[in-house]
Amino acid sequence: MSSIIQLLPDHVANQIAAGEVVQRPASVVKELLENAVDAKASDIKLIIKDAGKTLIQVVDNGVGMSVTDARLCFERHATSKIRNAEDLFSLHTKGFRGEALASIAAVAHVELKTKQEQDELGTHIIIEGSKVTTQDPAVLPKGTSFLVKNLFFNIPARRNFLKSETVELRHILDEFHRVVLAHPKINFSMYNNGNEIFNLPFGNYRQRIVNLFSFKTNEKLVPIEESTEIVKIHGFVGKPEFAKKTRGEQFFFVNDRFIKSGYLHHAVMSAYEGLLKEGAQPSYFIYLDVPSHTIDINIHPTKTEIKFDDEQALYAILRASVKHSLGQFHVAPVLDFDRDPNLDTPYSFQNKEASFPTIQVDATYNPFKEEEPKKVKSGFSGTSHYKREPSANWESLYVGLQQSAQEIVFENEVVTSSLFQEQDEPENNFGISYQIQKKYIVSPIKSGLIVIDQHRAHQRILYEQFLTHLTLSQAPSQQLLFPLELSYTTLELHLLKELQQPLEAIGFQFETIHDNGLVLKGVPVSIQESEVAPVLDTLLHQLHEGIPNAGFSQNDSVAKSMAKSMAIKSGVQLSVEEQQAIVNKLFACKEPDVSPFNKPTFITIDVEELDKKFFR
């Protein structure tokens, strides 16, 4: 039998490796930004076009590469970060495997321009699918410029699996956030389709967070700092009142490297125990500095997972640090049962000086002096004194009462029928509904009973209303007396701009959309002004994972999300009129049987089924 095992060609092996390293345009952005940081650059510029599908370019002013290094960096397992296996446990750089550039060059058109400071000329290399087409000297500034075009041009199936530009841009922004937050001492800028999205100057950690998200983030942050032999912790956690339903603003950094850790996240959440609403997620930006020999980074291709030597001790230290910061800055309530509230000084008396009490004495006061009767002046001469008339006999107060009581005619007749006699006439009760456990609406029908889930039923009603407004006619809007200003991050604002047209169709009216948020001058009629921010937050949370390209699908997603966030929740007491309105509107829908998420809205119980319950 002939041998069947053979070595794969280099370009095939590079494409296979690229499947792990380069999953989408955001993966390319991550690798190129980290290489620029490792090159000791002080200014890094990211330029993308069409969410990275057409162009990704990273320009830095780092140390640059020589002619030999520029050619060798595209080979597999070629790296300047490590020399032997022991270096894996003392890493101080972002990259170390030497696979990223080779993988990128295997699935895209790559153009490299680089020059070292002491060299007169730099190097210009063009690679297409791992094949070097040109390599020439060029006059270049100090630093490196990587330009990646037509990603997955030779793997159409991978390119077809890419999501919409909105989704891919969101992933790129996520990777950009993770790099720039870890390195506030570096200037970063980002451009998308020729528009500047970020321009982040040199600063400290707090300034970088505020510049990246919004200026209102500053009031939400509580500093955290702790130093032990195991770990040094610094950073910021968000105040509980600013917690959101999304987990977007949650970052862990270990030795200036972004990581994902559900274990550490649980430590932070346990520190917030009792301070957050159900489902709320606090913001945190926590930086951990640990000895490099106590962690293992080489366990995942994306290098976002780390193994710690002593996770339990790290968990306890982190939880205690966050809890201490929340209590130190009076974010967490403190109960002191020994304090007497009567001894508290009112705020209005805090700055007043104490004065000596004064005693006033009336020298003319005589306690034994008898009071003279008061004289009442009248139009006639002389005086008149008050004289108490003798009261009439108490029995005279009730004279004639029996006669007057007989003449009283009451407005309502006395109810003489019993409760069970009314059940003999079911047609009188038809159409009356009842609410059970503030969750279900029970209404009698000719064949028995119908039980309606009020939350799902209202979802179906609102969903069809929103779809009608999105596709046929614009919904009415109520004008606000004072415009409502809301603050959002750059990513959330980008998503809201994409949704501006469908949101206006259902009743929202935008006055302006600026860098730090937006201003609304009108909201839908069915929503209160105080509910606008939670509804939009819920919408962003539910649509954060992706929006289809098709307009109808986008409208459908918006209608579902708005219906879910605005529908009456379980546990809300409804009046009889509100119950009847839900019942009538539900059965006026095109598909009353199921909610927008294909869950049943009601069930029916026949009389025969009830009879079986009693005659078993």
Side-chain angles (χ1 to χ4, degrees), residues 456-467:
R456 295 180 183 178
H458 202 211
Q459 282 183 2
R460 165 54 62 178
I461 296 168
L462 293 176
Y463 170 70
E464 294 199 3
Q465 289 179 355
F466 288 144
L467 271 187

Side-chain angles (χ1 to χ4, degrees), residues 25-34 46 48 56 58 172 175:
S27 305
V28 178
V29 171
K30 172 183 179 295
E31 299 294 342
L32 296 183
L33 287 178
E34 290 182 346
L46 171 63
I48 61 175
I56 300 173
V58 175
I172 290 176
E175 296 295 345

Side-chain angles (χ1 to χ4, degrees), residues 147-355:
L147 190 146
V148 180
K149 297 185 294 185
N150 304 322
L151 188 63
F152 300 129
F153 77 99
N154 53 355
I155 312 179
R158 290 291 301 274
R159 189 175 181 88
N160 292 335
F161 277 112
L162 294 178
K163 304 297 182 180
S164 65
E165 291 189 8
T166 303
V167 178
E168 297 301 336
L169 179 61
R170 178 180 63 83
H171 286 286
I172 290 176
L173 288 172
D174 288 342
E175 296 295 345
F176 183 78
H177 288 172
R178 295 166 183 175
V179 176
V180 302
L181 285 173
H183 303 280
K185 303 298 183 182
I186 302 177
N187 297 326
F188 285 93
S189 58
M190 178 178 175
Y191 298 85
N192 178 36
N193 295 332
N195 300 320
E196 183 183 84
I197 300 179
F198 291 107
N199 188 359
L200 307 173
F202 168 95
N204 55 33
Y205 288 100
R206 192 182 193 109
Q207 291 171 341
R208 176 55 54 88
I209 294 171
V210 172
N211 291 333
L212 186 62
F213 292 99
S214 67
F215 68 94
K216 292 188 176 181
T217 309
N218 189 34
E219 62 179 301
K220 306 176 184 178
L221 301 179
V222 175
I224 173 176
E225 187 169 359
E226 189 65 44
S227 180
T228 65
E229 296 179 355
I230 299 176
V231 61
K232 292 182 179 179
I233 302 175
H234 66 96
F236 303 91
V237 294
K239 296 179 181 179
E241 60 265 28
F242 296 106
K244 297 183 178 180
K245 294 184 178 181
T246 60
R247 296 181 58 176
E249 298 178 5
Q250 296 179 346
F251 296 89
F252 282 115
F253 299 94
V254 175
N255 296 349
D256 292 336
R257 181 191 301 275
F258 172 80
I259 68 163
K260 297 178 180 179
S261 176
Y263 190 67
L264 297 182
H265 173 74
H266 188 274
V268 176
M269 295 300 295
S270 63
Y272 278 90
E273 186 177 2
L275 301 177
L276 298 175
K277 297 180 181 179
E278 184 178 359
Q281 295 289 334
S283 301
Y284 56 77
F285 308 85
I286 299 178
Y287 300 83
L288 310 175
D289 296 329
V290 299
S292 56
H293 65 274
T294 62
I295 58 175
D296 185 7
I297 304 173
N298 191 28
I299 62 174
H300 195 274
T302 59
K303 293 170 283 191
T304 57
E305 297 182 9
I306 290 181
K307 288 294 184 181
F308 299 93
D309 280 354
D310 195 350
E311 286 187 335
Q312 293 182 350
L314 192 62
Y315 180 99
I317 295 172
L318 179 60
R319 180 180 180 274
S321 301
V322 175
K323 206 170 188 65
H324 174 71
S325 293
L326 294 176
Q328 182 180 7
F329 291 90
H330 305 289
V331 175
V334 178
L335 298 179
D336 186 2
F337 295 100
D338 297 330
R339 181 180 61 85
D340 186 359
N342 296 324
L343 301 178
D344 292 344
T345 304
Y347 290 107
S348 58
F349 288 89
Q350 284 185 351
N351 299 324
K352 289 186 177 181
E353 296 182 358
S355 59

Side-chain angles (χ1 to χ4, degrees), residues 85-104:
E86 287 74 15
D87 293 340
L88 291 174
F89 299 97
S90 59
L91 290 172
H92 300 283
T93 57
K94 297 292 184 293
F96 53 87
R97 293 198 184 103
E99 294 179 338
L101 294 182
S103 300
I104 294 171

